[in-house]
Amino acid sequence: MGDLNLITIIVIAANVFVSLKGFNDFYFVEQYKFNVGAINRGEKFRMFTSGFLHANPNHLIMNMIGLYFFADQVVNTIGSAGFLAVYFGSLFAGSLLSLYFNKDNYMYSALGASGAVTGVLYSAILLGPELKRYFIFLPPRIGSLDLGIKAYLLGVGYLLYTIYAMKHKNDNIGHDAHFGGAIGGYVITFILASGLLLDHLLMTILLTIPIIILFVMKRTGRL
């Protein structure tokens, strides 16, 4: 967990470099952020470039911490090329779902690597069902009690919260991109490592539940 391999360093460095430029250059951000109107006019590159921009340092730091903690599981299991496929595929999937959900709102804008990072997180959970995550300010165990939480439970809980936030729209975060990234991470990982996932069939099915709920809600007009 949290090993900084070369490919992870490169991706983090790219995010930091582009985001730092954006913090000090409003027009740079306006030119490359996700914007429905601009994308519909043909600027499809924004579906990727927006993923390297962040709203503020905290937004950048949180996304890069998530990448730091989960990227190594993906790289070590399906290799650097597989990791890049998951990262950029999830980034695109997040942008695509954002575009679909906001296609009639030409003013809708977003930025951040959240879709890509969520895809990597979901891929890591699929590839490492034994993974546990621990609370930062608590010891890993108290006596014989292990305080770790299974990563797949965190993944399902996170996406169920995302559905809630998408429905209520009580913040300014592009949760639909998070969900699109998770879908991208799931599908691409299944394509690249279907044999591994079939060894953990119950967990693989469990992680589809929030995705199914999303589309049922969308289909029935509840989202």
Side-chain angles (χ1 to χ4, degrees), residues 21-191:
K21 178 170 177 55
F23 294 157
N24 299 301
D25 191 337
F26 171 81
Y27 294 103
F28 179 78
V29 173
E30 289 297 305
Q31 185 177 2
Y32 293 107
K33 71 180 181 180
F34 181 96
N35 176 265
V36 172
I39 291 171
N40 286 340
R41 290 194 300 270
E43 297 180 7
K44 309 299 185 187
F45 62 85
R46 289 174 179 260
M47 298 180 73
F48 289 99
T49 57
S50 60
F52 290 88
L53 294 164
H54 289 81
N56 52 57
N58 286 340
H59 187 203
L60 172 65
I61 290 168
M62 291 304 296
N63 274 335
M64 294 305 100
I65 287 175
L67 190 58
Y68 168 75
F69 276 107
F70 288 97
D72 64 301
Q73 177 69 28
V74 181
V75 174
N76 292 339
T77 307
I78 59 175
S80 296
F83 166 77
L84 290 175
V86 169
Y87 187 89
F88 286 101
S90 299
L91 174 57
F92 178 72
S95 293
L96 198 62
L97 196 64
S98 292
L99 187 63
Y100 171 69
F101 282 152
N102 300 282
K103 58 182 179 294
D104 297 323
N105 181 5
Y106 287 3
M107 299 300 293
Y108 179 84
S109 296
L111 42 74
S114 299
V117 173
T118 304
V120 170
L121 180 151
Y122 225 58
S123 179
I125 294 170
L126 286 164
L127 294 169
E130 76 287 349
L131 283 176
K132 284 187 175 182
R133 290 297 179 255
Y134 295 87
F135 296 101
I136 295 175
F137 300 110
L138 292 177
R141 61 175 57 247
I142 298 178
S144 61
L145 179 63
D146 188 339
L147 298 182
I149 299 177
K150 290 287 188 179
Y152 70 85
L153 294 177
L154 292 176
V156 171
Y158 174 75
L159 292 181
L160 289 175
Y161 164 74
T162 295
I163 292 175
Y164 171 85
M166 288 169 67
K167 181 175 175 61
H168 292 274
K169 301 184 186 302
N170 55 3
D171 56 34
N172 294 318
I173 299 173
H175 294 285
D176 41 5
H178 297 187
F179 218 107
I183 295 171
Y186 184 100
V187 171
I188 295 168
T189 302
F190 195 87
I191 291 171

